[in-house]
Amino acid sequence: MDFEGVDSDGRSGGLISIWDTRYFQKAQVLKHRHYIITIGNWSGIPGHTILANIYGPHASSEKQKLWKDLLQIKQNWMGNWLLFGDFNAVRRKEERFNSQFCPYIASNFNRFIHDAGVIDFNMGGERYTYMSRVDAKLSQIDRFLACSSFLSYFPSLTAIAHPKHLSDHCPITLSSISNDFGPPSFKFFNSWITVEGIDQIVSNAWIGFSGHGRADVYLAAKLKHVKEEIKKWRRSSHKNEAHELTHLKGMIKDLEIVADSRTLSKNELLICSNGLKRILELEHMATLDVKQKA
């Protein structure tokens, strides 16, 4: 892997682009506090591929300058363009709720998209990609924009905004294929060590085993018994964790639906915050398992 980054400015900004060097070879990088534009060669695609990671400014005048700068760069670098990130601008009034809509900013953003000759994906999944946890302001400010030549090489691209859970922004994927690591074999995942009760399960299974035969046969049978007890325990604990995760996600989803029509109360925001913390714990375990499985 290779990467390029731009440091944050206080609590704002901060960008990182990461790519697999087996498929994308960097030729040049243009960096600014509001973008990382990586120019290179994508395996199997003729000409340059330009990946523009965007973090739009808040001020209207700065937005206008960013659009102008991006158009100038696009004119200087011909190729297959893909722009993505937090543009800090919406295209229409329906993309904001409980948040102020500025027709002037939206008009400038739409003009930039037209002048750049890029296409805005119809995004599936969540309706809004950003939610302020302080005052429940909702907006769709994150998106992918691609030129027609890029789309000609990836005609089946789909953009999906996934549930927020751990962030105030939705993670968004642009995908043309699905990946699967295949069916799992039995193995002891490192994350299980952090689950309460695992040490007692192993200890009880080890002490409680009874068998006979040669020492090597006895040891193999004892280890198999421990494995079976762990599997039995894991099936039960995994079911409980999955139920808890589903319940928490459903609760937060319900609160976000409520936030579409009214401002959440302090108590509701607190419930949402505590739920997110627990989801973080559960999904962190799942992430560790996927990495080890991969």
Side-chain angles (χ1 to χ4, degrees):
M1 310 298 287
D2 196 4
F3 74 96
E4 290 287 345
V6 172
D7 291 337
S8 61
D9 182 10
R11 296 180 60 187
S12 300
L15 290 166
I16 186 168
S17 293
I18 307 172
W19 60 89
D20 190 331
T21 54
R22 294 174 299 174
Y23 303 102
F24 184 81
Q25 294 79 42
K26 174 183 68 176
Q28 188 170 341
V29 177
L30 309 176
K31 294 199 288 190
H32 184 272
R33 62 171 295 193
H34 294 303
Y35 58 77
I36 301 175
I37 299 178
T38 311
I39 304 160
N41 298 308
W42 193 316
S43 298
I45 301 180
H48 284 121
T49 296
I50 299 100
L51 306 176
N53 186 354
I54 309 297
Y55 177 75
H58 292 279
S60 176
S61 59
E62 292 184 16
K63 285 186 176 70
Q64 187 68 9
K65 184 179 184 306
L66 175 61
W67 308 149
K68 182 179 179 181
D69 291 345
L70 290 174
L71 287 173
Q72 184 61 53
I73 295 171
K74 191 172 186 297
Q75 290 177 1
N76 294 337
W77 286 95
M78 303 299 294
N80 309 299
W81 276 79
L82 178 67
L83 300 92
F84 52 89
D86 176 1
F87 290 84
N88 250 318
V90 299
R91 301 194 63 188
R92 54 190 68 89
K93 188 175 182 179
E94 294 75 20
E95 294 181 351
R96 285 194 182 276
F97 180 80
N98 197 30
S99 175
Q100 184 177 3
F101 172 74
C102 178
Y104 176 74
I105 292 177
S107 176
N108 286 337
F109 186 41
N110 284 321
R111 187 178 301 111
F112 160 72
I113 291 174
H114 176 269
D115 293 344
V118 291
I119 299 170
D120 186 11
F121 285 88
N122 289 322
M123 194 179 303
E126 299 297 301
R127 181 178 179 183
Y128 301 103
T129 62
Y130 170 77
M131 174 180 176
S132 169
R133 298 299 184 190
V134 177
D135 47 16
K137 292 181 178 180
L138 298 162
S139 56
Q140 185 180 327
I141 55 178
D142 309 271
R143 64 185 74 233
F144 282 94
L145 302 170
C147 70
S148 57
S149 63
F150 187 91
L151 291 174
S152 68
Y153 295 107
F154 301 98
S156 60
L157 286 176
T158 55
I160 300 293
H162 303 279
K164 304 174 189 66
H165 300 323
L166 310 179
S167 172
D168 51 4
H169 286 262
C170 290
I172 305 174
T173 56
L174 184 66
S175 176
S176 61
I177 59 173
S178 59
N179 293 314
D180 185 10
F181 295 123
S185 57
F186 174 79
K187 64 175 67 177
F188 190 99
F189 287 99
N190 298 334
S191 65
W192 295 357
I193 297 174
T194 65
V195 180
E196 184 178 355
I198 179 61
D199 52 347
Q200 197 62 45
I201 292 295
V202 174
S203 178
N204 291 343
W206 187 263
I207 297 172
F209 175 76
S210 60
H212 59 276
R214 299 194 318 267
D216 56 343
V217 175
Y218 176 85
L219 177 60
K222 191 170 186 177
L223 291 173
K224 183 178 180 180
H225 173 71
V226 172
K227 182 184 78 171
E228 293 302 322
E229 290 299 307
I230 292 174
K231 290 173 69 174
K232 188 188 303 182
W233 162 81
R234 189 55 196 155
R235 280 194 295 268
S236 175
S237 60
H238 178 71
K239 184 177 180 180
N240 293 336
E241 290 167 5
H243 177 75
E244 182 182 6
L245 190 60
T246 300
H247 171 72
L248 290 172
K249 288 182 177 181
M251 178 186 69
I252 292 175
K253 180 63 178 177
D254 290 342
L255 288 173
E256 290 182 347
I257 292 174
V258 171
D260 286 352
S261 57
R262 67 169 175 82
T263 302
L264 296 180
S265 66
K266 290 183 179 180
N267 185 54
E268 287 171 328
L269 288 171
L270 180 61
I271 291 173
C272 186
S273 176
N274 291 336
L276 289 171
K277 289 178 182 178
R278 180 55 180 161
I279 289 174
L280 175 60
E281 294 174 1
L282 295 172
E283 293 199 336
H284 180 63
M285 286 179 55
T287 300
L288 294 176
D289 290 351
V290 170
K291 287 180 179 179
Q292 186 175 346
K293 184 179 177 183

